[in-house]
Amino acid sequence: MLNGPLLVTERLILRPPAAEDFEGFATMCAEEDTMRFIGGACPRASAWRLWCTLAGAWHIRGFSMFSVIERDTGEWVGRLGPWEPDGWPGREIAYGVRAKFAGKGYAFEGAIATCDFAVEFLKWPDLMHCIDPANTRSQALAKRLGAVNSGPTRLPPPFQDAPVDAWRQTADEWRTRRKELRP
């Protein structure tokens, strides 16, 4: 059962989280390198609570990160998309993919679709990515999307001590940049 929008790209399907996606998410949550900058690796029980937070945000906020599904295999790739928990420094397009899918351009392809969704459907006036200053891969993706580092920002507890920079662009800057991008 689909409980929200469906976005389709050349290689991906993006849809709200579903019960059958949890195994992939739990696998991702256990990957030290993948989770290093997005809350840290965690056990399955903690992953379940995080998963329910992502799914619940669709009902509370009307948007949340999408499950990213590889079209050719049906395999769960990662989670990405619009994100704004209470106390967050702004509306964010967040991204994270499982280790086996890293480096294939899936985060870029999915981020383009979700930036379009946030600007054109959700009518966000700007886009932001919260990125640890040591996370060079995420910074490279933000730059490729057209975002610029606007300096340090602060996340709410329990992440208040995590170093994070806000990478931003306006909706109009995104629309201009989008014309140049091909996933």
Side-chain angles (χ1 to χ4, degrees):
M1 181 169 72
L2 187 64
N3 60 356
L6 179 73
L7 308 179
V8 179
T9 70
E10 182 180 340
R11 301 178 297 161
L12 305 171
I13 297 169
L14 289 82
R15 59 167 169 68
E20 64 268 19
D21 304 334
F22 178 66
E23 290 303 322
F25 183 73
T27 298
M28 184 177 108
C29 285
E31 297 172 350
E32 293 287 336
D33 283 346
T34 301
M35 298 300 293
R36 179 176 172 206
F37 298 113
I38 52 176
C42 64
R44 186 178 176 85
S46 296
W48 175 253
R49 287 187 288 281
L50 292 170
W51 187 243
C52 290
T53 298
L54 292 174
W58 277 101
H59 298 286
I60 302 301
R61 290 266 193 215
F63 62 86
S64 183
M65 285 190 252
F66 292 91
S67 273
V68 181
I69 311 299
E70 188 177 49
R71 286 178 62 179
D72 286 348
T73 65
E75 207 170 340
W76 193 86
V77 171
R79 76 341 167 237
L80 57 81
W83 185 237
E84 189 185 16
D86 186 62
W88 218 245
R91 294 175 174 154
E92 178 179 16
I93 298 296
Y95 35 81
V97 299
R98 289 170 48 198
K100 74 182 272 183
F101 296 105
K104 295 183 177 187
Y106 288 155
F108 179 63
E109 186 174 329
I112 289 172
T114 58
C115 286
D116 285 344
F117 175 77
V119 167
E120 303 306 332
F121 181 78
L122 298 175
K123 304 297 184 198
W124 285 7
D126 53 39
L127 303 171
M128 178 188 65
H129 315 283
C130 293
I131 304 174
D132 186 298
N135 190 345
T136 56
R137 292 182 74 185
S138 189
Q139 291 170 22
L141 177 53
K143 287 178 190 175
R144 193 171 173 200
L145 293 168
V148 176
N149 188 345
S150 64
T153 191
R154 194 167 173 92
L155 300 178
F159 308 108
Q160 71 274 9
D161 296 327
V164 176
D165 288 336
W167 289 73
R168 300 180 185 274
Q169 64 183 307
T170 67
D172 287 339
E173 289 168 336
W174 168 251
R175 287 182 188 101
T176 298
R177 176 73 176 143
R178 178 63 173 99
K179 293 173 188 172
E180 305 166 8
L181 295 177
R182 294 189 82 99

